[in-house]
């Protein structure tokens, strides 16, 4: 894309050079900025399900707009306490706490509304800029760079009003701002549409992978094989030469050891805790160790490569059952509220794939005790679940087939995810370069 003919220094670190005819100005000289002050702050007990006015909290921002369906209400008296934060159509809001810099335009305002703490309302003053142009500024690297610059060394992330008002931005005349805002509206919508298409493709691939696994572990690889009733509700039909058995009859569960908190140290023998077992993977972002002598002292709690380990507390998360296969020869011990399952002449990876079956997960979920503060399951209850079982040779064939198919799918999904990240990076770069005048989009609205 083309650049402007002539540039000049902006003398602003987060902007760089700007077109010669552009100017820079601080927010405080161009913008009405107000937030709810501490002395009239609201408590959650004042939030209403219905009432006189909307209360905008920031959690009700969606796709750059206020989602009025998600807003709380407050009564008329609280609304009228602070007239400076009563909203108007086309106001631009920005969060100053939590997720800082999240923005929303006020559109379709059909009743009085005001703000809770944590948000600034902004309006253009003096005819310097139009709100759609400022929307893109606050959603660009230009503002992110400013915030990073002003918050260096700070451990508390908060956008203070006096800091925000010192934000300097670059701008052309109003007509050019309109062109820029329209261009970015159009181009970012096109990019977002591409991203959604790719995300939908990932979803389809994941569904296909799930179906492939489910069919393979309950029906086998031969589509022409004779089937029979498994007499197990979650399994339905299985090949005629398969059987069903409870997990406890094909292997052994061993619960982890209750180590004393004083046993843990910075190095030594690794201990697998409940936080380390995630869905189909081990997460070592939090690691605990005990002295080497304890490894020999507790041989029953030693873990080995290819062991299948279950978390017994909060055993299901959004992605599935918290279970994984140990994939290392490193010496380690098993902590309490976890269990290891070792099979008798059964392909452990075959069982691993069964655990991905939606119907199995539901069967597993039905056995979870949800009466306490945290859901729990016992290794006895897991062992009481029936699974379908072919002969060992067929188990291995299914595992080899699924390993290959899943690897192919995962590689494809990763390629698409990388493409999505590139699109997001392109979008961010495009917004920054357009909003700071690094590229000239005048005329692009007619030709693109």
């Amino acid at each position: 894309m083309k650049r402007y003919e002539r540039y000049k220094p902006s003398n602003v670190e987060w902007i760089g050079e700007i077109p010669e005819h552009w100017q820079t100005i601080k927010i405080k000289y161009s913008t009405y900025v107000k937030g709810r002050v501490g002395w009239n702050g609201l408590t959650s007990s004042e939030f209403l399900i219905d009432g006189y006015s909307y209360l905008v909290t920031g959690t009700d921002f969606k796709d750059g707009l206020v989602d009025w369906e998600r807003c709380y209400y407050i009564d008329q008296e609280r609304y009228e306490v602070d007239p400076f934060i009563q909203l108007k159509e086309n106001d631009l809001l920005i969060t100053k706490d939590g997720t800082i810099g999240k923005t929303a335009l006020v559109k379709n305002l059909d009743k009085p509304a005001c703000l809770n703490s944590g948000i600034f309302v902004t309006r253009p003053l003096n005819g310097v800029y139009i709100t759609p142009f400022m929307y893109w500024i606050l959603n660009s690297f230009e503002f992110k760079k400013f915030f990073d610059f002003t918050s260096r060394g700070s451990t508390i992330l908060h956008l203070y009003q006096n800091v925000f008002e010192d934000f300097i931005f670059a701008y052309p005349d109003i007509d050019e701002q309109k062109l820029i805002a329209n261009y970015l509206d159009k181009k970012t919508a096109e990019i977002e549409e591409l991203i959604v298409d790719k995300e939908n493709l990932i979803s389809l691939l994941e569904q296909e992978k799930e179906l492939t696994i489910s069919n393979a572990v309950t029906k086998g690889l031969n589509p022409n094989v004779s089937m029979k009733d498994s007499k197990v509700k979650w399994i339905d039909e299985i090949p005629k030469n398969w059987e069903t058995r409870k997990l406890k009859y094909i292997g052994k569960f061993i619960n982890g050891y209750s180590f004393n908190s004083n046993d843990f140290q910075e190095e030594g023998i690794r201990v697998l805790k409940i936080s380390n077992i995630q869905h189909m993977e081990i997460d070592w972002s939090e690691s605990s160790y005990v002295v080497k002598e304890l490894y020999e002292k507790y041989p029953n709690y030693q873990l080995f490569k290819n062991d299948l380990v279950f978390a017994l507390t909060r055993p299901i998360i959004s992605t599935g059952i918290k279970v994984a296969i140990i994939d290392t020869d490193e010496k380690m011990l098993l902590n309490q509220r976890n269990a290891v399952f070792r099979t008798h002449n059964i392909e452990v990876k075959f069982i691993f794939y069964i655990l991905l079956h939606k119907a199995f997960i539901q069967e597993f979920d039905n056995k979870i005790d949800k009466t306490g503060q945290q859901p729990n399951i016992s290794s006895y209850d897991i062992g009481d679940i029936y699974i379908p079982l072919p002969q060992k040779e067929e188990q291995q064939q299914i595992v080899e087939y699924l390993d290959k198919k899943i690897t192919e799918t995962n590689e494809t999904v990763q390629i698409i995810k990388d493409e999505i990240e590139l699109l997001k990076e392109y979008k961010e770069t495009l917004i920054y370069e357009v909003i700071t005048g690094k590229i000239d989009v005048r005329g692009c609205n007619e030709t693109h």
Side-chain angles (χ1 to χ4, degrees), residues 221-246:
L221 304 179
N222 181 0
N224 301 315
V225 69
S226 298
M227 306 292 285
K228 66 179 181 182
D229 184 0
S230 70
K231 296 183 170 58
V232 178
K233 186 176 180 181
W234 83 261
I235 299 173
D236 197 17
E237 289 190 328
I238 55 174
K240 199 168 184 178
N241 62 332
W242 287 28
E243 61 178 332
T244 59
R245 298 185 67 184
K246 289 185 176 182

Side-chain angles (χ1 to χ4, degrees), residues 180-198:
I180 287 171
N182 290 337
Y183 175 83
L184 288 175
D185 286 346
K186 182 174 183 294
K187 294 302 290 185
T188 56
E190 290 172 356
I191 295 168
E192 285 299 324
E193 189 175 342
L194 285 173
I195 290 172
V196 168
D197 288 344
K198 290 182 180 297

